[in-house]
Amino acid sequence: MNLSFYIAKRYVFSKSKNNAITIISRIALSGIVIGALALFVVLSVFSGLREFSLTFSNDADPDLKVNVIKGKSFFISPSQEQQLKQIKGIANYSKIIEERVLFSFAEKQQVTYLKGVDSQFAALNPVTKKLFNGVWFTPKTSQAVVGYGIAQKLSLGLFDVNNPLEAFIPKPGKGAIESEEQAFNKAYLIPTGIYAINEEMDSKYVYVDLELAQEVMGFQYNQVSGIEIKTRPNADENKIISEIETVFNNQVQVKTRAQLNASLYKMLNTENFVLYLIFTLVIIMILFAFAGAIFMVIIDKKDNLKTLFSLGAEVKNLRRIFLIYGISLCAIGGIIGVSIGALMVFLQHQFQLIMITDTLAYPVVFTFQNVALVLVTIVSLGCIATLIASSRVSKKLLD
């Protein structure tokens, strides 16, 4: 093994007497460097785009959300609230009411969500700081904060007391409906602020005070449709979820942010996997050429191999020389490629060299996970290619 390693090391760092073989080996090594560089840069860019995309959901969704398993609402008693406050890992929580209703303004209508939130909502959700115009609503009033998309579609103005935003909330019950009053509860809202997060969220919510939402929906003071929770850094989410379910006697379900945005996470993971497969295919093609280069080195060193074979070296030891040689080149090429890629990612992150728009640079994120993934991919595929090439070392070749 030591002899195989020593000879392989000499082959890696010494030039061949045949200039053509040296050039072919360097081209093969350059291909590995470029493949590792390309894969690492693409994964880093996609990690940046993934993080950039998730910031929009992070601005609107809590760390954990509690919903009832059956029905639309549930009751939370003072003792249950006290138990929630005692759960380690919960930084803050907010009681909410969320219902799809019809909004009308100046003969324009839109169906979207009315969301009642309490005074703690501002402490756990950054949407209160994402106001495009105006201010957040004052508690215990009929004021409201609407999304930019809703305001644009309904042509809403702010602080227009004479022209309030009308909300029509369906009344529960059975039987024939003979008038509008029998079908809907009506609320008159005064928009005081417009928030802007992204296109989807800007057309989804109209925020009002929790007590107002309870009143127009006929809820009791301790009746809510959900609880949004902010966890402390590095908190054990699984343990918190288990304790919350115990507090509510397993009558609720608790979802993480990833579960609330399951389709988004699934789409991003699928795109990441597809990109990885595409660039891995490119690397496989490069390594086919690399296997050919190793076989050329074997032909070039044929006389040396015959000498070693005559001195008693076994064929498997001779194969091991080129196996170590190929894996070493793959590892060196992978490290060089990842190092250059890391430098490019650092420069893009610090100096924003490539821009998407005049104000937005291509987002990139350096992660050791990407470093490990690229190196493992390069070395693993290189090992397979080297095994194929080194298998050509046989007694027939040496005769």
Side-chain angles (χ1 to χ4, degrees), residues 45-233:
V45 170
F46 189 83
S47 295
L49 290 172
R50 175 191 175 92
E51 188 174 281
F52 179 72
S53 299
L54 292 178
T55 55
F56 296 118
S57 65
N58 294 345
D59 286 339
D61 294 320
D63 296 328
L64 298 173
K65 188 172 183 179
V66 182
N67 290 314
V68 67
I69 295 176
K70 293 182 179 180
K72 290 187 175 182
S73 65
F74 61 97
F75 293 90
I76 175 169
S77 65
S79 63
Q80 288 173 324
E81 288 202 55
Q82 191 62 33
Q83 290 177 63
L84 280 180
K85 293 176 182 178
Q86 293 174 353
I87 294 177
K88 292 182 179 179
I90 293 182
N92 214 325
Y93 70 89
S94 173
K95 295 177 288 185
I96 66 164
I97 289 176
E98 197 171 323
E99 183 62 40
R100 195 171 178 86
V101 304
L102 171 66
F103 292 95
S104 177
F105 182 82
E107 298 183 353
K108 295 181 180 180
Q109 289 83 35
Q110 183 174 2
V111 177
T112 189
Y113 286 92
L114 177 74
K115 186 167 183 176
V117 299
D118 62 17
S119 58
Q120 297 300 314
F121 185 74
L124 60 90
N125 198 309
V127 70
T128 57
K129 301 179 180 65
K130 299 286 184 177
L131 296 183
F132 173 77
N133 199 2
V135 296
W136 192 254
F137 66 79
T138 303
K140 301 183 185 299
T141 66
S142 59
Q143 295 177 357
V145 172
V146 303
Y148 180 79
I150 300 171
Q152 196 173 40
K153 184 172 182 178
L154 298 179
S155 301
L156 282 174
L158 299 182
F159 302 100
D160 190 352
V161 180
N162 295 321
N163 296 290
L165 172 65
E166 295 180 286
F168 296 88
I169 301 93
K171 288 183 179 180
K174 299 179 180 180
I177 298 173
E178 298 180 355
S179 65
E180 181 184 294
E181 288 73 16
Q182 289 180 323
F184 298 99
N185 287 325
K186 187 184 293 187
Y188 296 95
L189 308 175
I190 309 299
T192 61
I194 299 173
Y195 69 87
I197 299 177
N198 61 50
E199 186 176 351
E200 180 183 356
M201 293 304 304
D202 293 351
S203 299
K204 187 173 184 179
Y205 288 124
V206 173
Y207 291 97
V208 298
D209 183 64
L210 179 66
E211 292 184 10
L212 174 63
Q214 287 174 327
E215 180 182 346
V216 297
M217 294 187 63
F219 282 12
Q220 299 181 32
Y221 76 96
N222 61 343
Q223 186 177 5
V224 297
S225 63
I227 300 173
E228 296 189 352
I229 295 172
K230 179 180 178 64
T231 59
R232 298 184 187 280

Side-chain angles (χ1 to χ4, degrees), residues 337-350:
V338 169
S339 299
I340 297 173
L343 178 61
M344 292 174 63
V345 168
F346 172 78
L347 292 174
Q348 172 65 14
H349 182 72
Q350 290 295 117

